[in-house]
């Protein structure tokens, strides 16, 4: 992980950042007597696995290199290692730094004549080629072998840096040109390649669905065994959970349920104590100590195995600060943008997945190490008994699998927009294995998670969810033949008179969802982030686990797992059937039994609700679905048992019901529990259609469609009235993630585009002399301002001395171009002359990026026009704000240039600046 140390040899103030390596390197471009590089992050999208590294030495005039070091293996093959005698070498990942572009060759001075500024000259180079194909960054290069291709360059784009926004338009053009090349060729081999290209997406989503189900199966089985380990073990086979240890007895009918005594299951009290007084103490100590151990291990894995990284929030990164305009002037440390720390495996991951799918890049968040930590940590955290669930994190796990599998093809690996199509399908598979609802998972991906969802993505998402559901059905994680444990089937219909109780459950779900979101937001913002808890996340996990163990051990319903609780609350009571931990009332007209059961359920609801408020957000894998379903199911079950009591207390009321059965049972408390669970989850997450479909699939029928739909709609309406944002939107706001909500409507009032235009952005003027030193200073100032996602408008004066737009060059592209000429003199002039038409082929661009200086004008390394976007999106300053908003929302623009009515340049607005503006606008309103 890059260091956040602000010290540097030049004395310039450099704020801590995940791009500290970039600024340190820029300080030495063309100006210092030493060519240095700092550690560089892996630029492989969402992969935090340590890339194999090779070393780039710190080259000092007069010293020699050691060439006898063993070679190292990289992700692209074996690369030679070079080191200096008596000098520690600074290593960097092979996909970033000076080699983070395909086709780029690392320039290594092997002789050291110096320029007047003391920097090495380029007399002899040891060349090292990075093997990423040129298509990884260039969208419209002309193919030498394709005489019919006439696509021209509109700005070579480099690989996206971490915590930057992608350019949807550029990636769309890139894939369109790639596909056009495949279709243009008429050979048999080309047609086969075209057929394979069309079927590649289906192959990837098939693998994603299969592997998601496999990982979910392992997590469920591991969580069951670890959860039961707190109470005892199976004497016949220690690796079996209680459900499978006693499964044979339940199947044969010798036991009515796994909650009853099982001879093969040995509790810790039976093992270590035979006395009644000490047996309860042994059970409590074993329960608490194992729970603390499981939660602590999960938190340690989350905090230390997935390296945290710092990033600038959307507010602080959106606006350039004029104080940092001159990199040579020391700045006030208090003005440094604050940095937030991300723990990749913590939480549910759905807010971050929404942000990534909206076009934001978080390297490492969907990598292999995060996948391993999330899966293992999730099983440990759920097994500890904390008030959290594993269903939400399945979406993150599936997205990690989708991201990793997509690397098998350059079509998805090298195109961020195309990769997000796979991630959308993976999200559907995650929900499918969580609830056994492939249709609901597809709709959830469409309604809640995905930002761009064309028809082909819907079909692939549905197919991926189906594959995941089929695979999980065959694996049978619960031994019941069902996809999820709380999947139930009712044999009675609902009645019109019950619509009023269903509306009441909807009101409860809306009120609970709104105030739960408020309380959790304020707890996280004012308690967790402003007290000692923020500095000691492991201590917070330990403390909350201890409190949870104390309160949950005494109540039989809080003591069982969240999934078991929801299953028993949903279940329908049958005569001479499973008692479901005493939830089934024998004498349904008895006030005492009804009061006793409802009181125990009410205590469970209060304890679960309060514990979930303080638990959601701690630093370990944790979901919100199961605790919310549990609270809503408790409320619904309480209402159901009392209506059932009223119906038996006054049999004449039963005449209003139809099909009451022989015993007059017209009320299903489990149905009320299911409706209450749906209402509570809708109030917390604000999902509607997908949640209703998930509930339909859980009950294997559409008979109860109306009660669920009614409760969900009432819950969302009430929750939106009390708190406009759901829990995921509040987490995004709390973490200041750069998510642009396309569904939110804004009131612009009298605001004009000029109110948000960044007019003080540093520009590149073609009528001035632009040297490597001056451009280095501009780029360094931009990075020091915290706006790593920005760039520079390129302007030229017309005949009336007015500045007109010529093009735009991003910070990453300018940095890469400067790195190629880093060993040149500081006064070397850089050209942005796009007056000539550059019909550049892939070979000429490759030679340019390789560092070869050719006599051909188009391969001149000091001509940066090939990196320039010659057709940036522009909008007139008198345009309505809604039109500008649609540029960012519908077109996925990374930046928009503002001009006046005559086409003269006025300023620029990038995506993060727009997000900062919308955030302030929402706060003021």
């Amino acid at each position: 992980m890059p260091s956040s140390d602000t010290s540097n040899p030049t004395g310039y103030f450099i704020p801590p950042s995940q791009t500290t390596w970039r600024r340190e390197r820029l300080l030495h471009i063309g100006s210092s007597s030493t060519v240095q590089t700092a550690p560089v992050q892996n630029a492989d999208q969402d992969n935090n696995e340590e890339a194999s590294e090779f070393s780039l030495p710190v080259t000092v005039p007069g010293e020699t290199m050691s060439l006898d070091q063993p070679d190292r293996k990289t992700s692209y093959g074996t690369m030679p290692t070079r080191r200096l005698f008596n000098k520690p070498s600074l290593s960097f990942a092979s996909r970033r730094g000076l080699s983070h572009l395909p086709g780029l060759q690392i320039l290594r001075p092997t002789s050291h004549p110096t320029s007047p500024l003391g920097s090495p000259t380029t007399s002899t180079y040891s060349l090292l080629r990075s093997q990423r194909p040129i298509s990884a960054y260039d969208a419209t290069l002309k193919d030498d072998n394709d005489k019919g291709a006439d696509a021209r360059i509109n700005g070579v784009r480099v690989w996206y840096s971490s915590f930057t926004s992608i350019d949807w338009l550029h990636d769309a053009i890139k894939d369109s040109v790639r596909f056009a090349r495949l279709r243009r060729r008429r050979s048999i081999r080309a047609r086969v390649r075209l057929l394979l290209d069309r079927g590649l997406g289906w192959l990837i989503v098939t693998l994603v669905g299969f592997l998601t189900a496999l990982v979910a199966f392992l997590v469920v089985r591991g969580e069951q065994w670890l959860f039961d380990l707190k109470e005892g073990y199976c004497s016949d086979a220690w690796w079996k959970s209680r459900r499978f240890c006693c499964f044979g007895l339940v199947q044969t009918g010798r036991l009515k349920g796994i909650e009853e005594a099982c001879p093969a299951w040995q509790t810790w009290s039976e093992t270590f104590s035979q006395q009644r007084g000490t047996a309860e103490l042994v059970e409590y100590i074993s329960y608490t100590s194992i729970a603390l151990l499981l939660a602590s291990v999960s938190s340690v894995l989350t905090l230390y195995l997935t390296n945290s990284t710092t990033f600038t929030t959307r507010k602080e990164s959106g606006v350039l600060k004029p104080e940092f305009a001159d990199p040579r002037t020391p700045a006030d440390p208090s003005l440094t943008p604050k940095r937030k720390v991300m723990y990749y495996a913590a939480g549910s991951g759905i807010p971050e997945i929404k942000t990534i799918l909206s076009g934001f890049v978080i390297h490492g968040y969907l990598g292999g190490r995060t996948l391993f930590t999330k899966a293992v940590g999730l099983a440990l955290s759920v097994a500890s008994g904390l008030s959290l669930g594993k269903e939400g994190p399945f979406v993150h796990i599936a997205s990690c699998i989708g991201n990793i599998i997509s690397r098998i093809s350059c079509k998805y690996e090298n195109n961020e927009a195309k990769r997000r199509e796979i991630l959308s399908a993976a999200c559907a598979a995650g929900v499918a294995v969580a609830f056994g609802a492939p249709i609901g998972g597809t709709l959830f991906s469409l309604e809640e998670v995905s930002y761009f969802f064309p028809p082909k993505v819907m079909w692939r998402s549905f197919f991926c969810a189906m594959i995941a559901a089929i695979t999980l059905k065959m694996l049978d994680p619960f031994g019941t033949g069902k996809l999820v444990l709380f999947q139930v089937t009712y044999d009675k219909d609902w009645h019109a008179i019950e619509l009023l109780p269903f509306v009441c459950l909807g009101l409860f779900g809306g009120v609970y969802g709104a105030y739960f979101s408020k309380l959790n937001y304020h707890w996280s913002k004012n308690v967790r982030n402003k007290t000692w808890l923020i500095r000691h996340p492991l201590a917070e996990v330990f403390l909350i686990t201890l409190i949870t163990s104390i309160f949950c051990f005494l109540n039989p319903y809080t003591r069982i797992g969240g999934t078991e609780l929801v299953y028993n609350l949903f279940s329908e009571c049958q005569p001479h059937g499973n008692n479901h931990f005493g939830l089934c009332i024998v004498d349904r007209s008895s006030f005492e039994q009804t009061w006793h059961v409802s009181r125990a359920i009410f205590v469970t609801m209060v304890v679960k609700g309060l514990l979930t408020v303080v638990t959601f957000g701690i630093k370990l894998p944790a979901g919100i679905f199961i605790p919310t379903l549990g609270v809503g199911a408790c409320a619904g079950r309480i209402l159901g048992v009392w209506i059932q009591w009223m119906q038996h207390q006054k049999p004449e009321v039963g005449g209003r019901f139809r099909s009451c059965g022989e015993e007059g049972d017209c009320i299903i408390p489990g149905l009320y529990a299911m409706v209450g669970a749906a209402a509570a989850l809708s109030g917390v997450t604000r999902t509607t259609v997908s949640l209703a479909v998930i509930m339909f699939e859980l009950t294997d029928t559409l008979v109860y469609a109306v009660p669920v739909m009614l409760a969900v709609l009432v819950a969302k309406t009430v929750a939106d009235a009390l708190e406009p944002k759901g829990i995921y939107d509040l987490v995004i706001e709390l973490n200041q993630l750069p998510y642009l909500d396309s569904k939110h409507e804004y009131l612009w009032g009298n605001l004009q585009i000029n109110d948000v235009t960044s007019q003080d952005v540093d520009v590149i003027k073609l009528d001035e002399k632009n040297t490597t030193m001056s451009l280095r200073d501009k780029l360094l100032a931009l990075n020091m301002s915290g706006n790593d996602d920005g760039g520079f408008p390129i302007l030229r004066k017309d005949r009336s001395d007015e500045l007109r737009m010529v093009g735009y060059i991003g910070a990453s592209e300018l940095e890469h171009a400067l790195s190629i000429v880093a060993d040149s003199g500081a006064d070397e002039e850089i050209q942005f002359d796009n007056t000539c038409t550059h019909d550049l082929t892939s070979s000429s661009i490759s030679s340019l990026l390789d560092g070869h200086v050719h006599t051909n004008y188009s391969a001149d390394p000091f001509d940066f026009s090939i990196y320039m976007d010659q057709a940036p999106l522009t909008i007139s300053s008198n345009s309505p704000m809604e039109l500008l908003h649609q540029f960012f929302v519908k077109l996925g623009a990374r930046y928009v240039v503002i001009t006046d009515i005559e086409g003269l340049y006025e300023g620029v607005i990038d995506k993060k600046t727009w997000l900062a503006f919308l955030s302030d606008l929402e706060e003021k309103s």
Side-chain angles (χ1 to χ4, degrees), residues 83-131:
R83 292 182 182 275
L84 288 177
F85 287 114
N86 303 322
K87 289 287 183 180
S89 176
L90 298 177
S91 61
F92 66 100
S94 60
R95 293 193 182 184
R96 202 61 180 96
L98 297 181
S99 65
H100 69 286
L101 279 186
L104 172 63
Q105 296 187 3
I106 306 304
L107 307 182
R108 292 187 174 154
T110 54
S111 63
H112 309 284
T114 59
S115 66
L117 288 177
S119 61
T121 60
T122 56
S123 58
T124 308
Y125 295 97
S126 172
L127 299 178
L128 179 63
R129 178 180 296 273
S130 173
Q131 297 182 16

Side-chain angles (χ1 to χ4, degrees), residues 14 70 138 240 267 400 443 474 477 601 619 706:
I14 301 179
D138 182 41
K240 290 184 178 181
T267 63
C400 291
L443 294 177
M474 297 175 62
I601 298 175
K619 300 304 181 289
V706 174

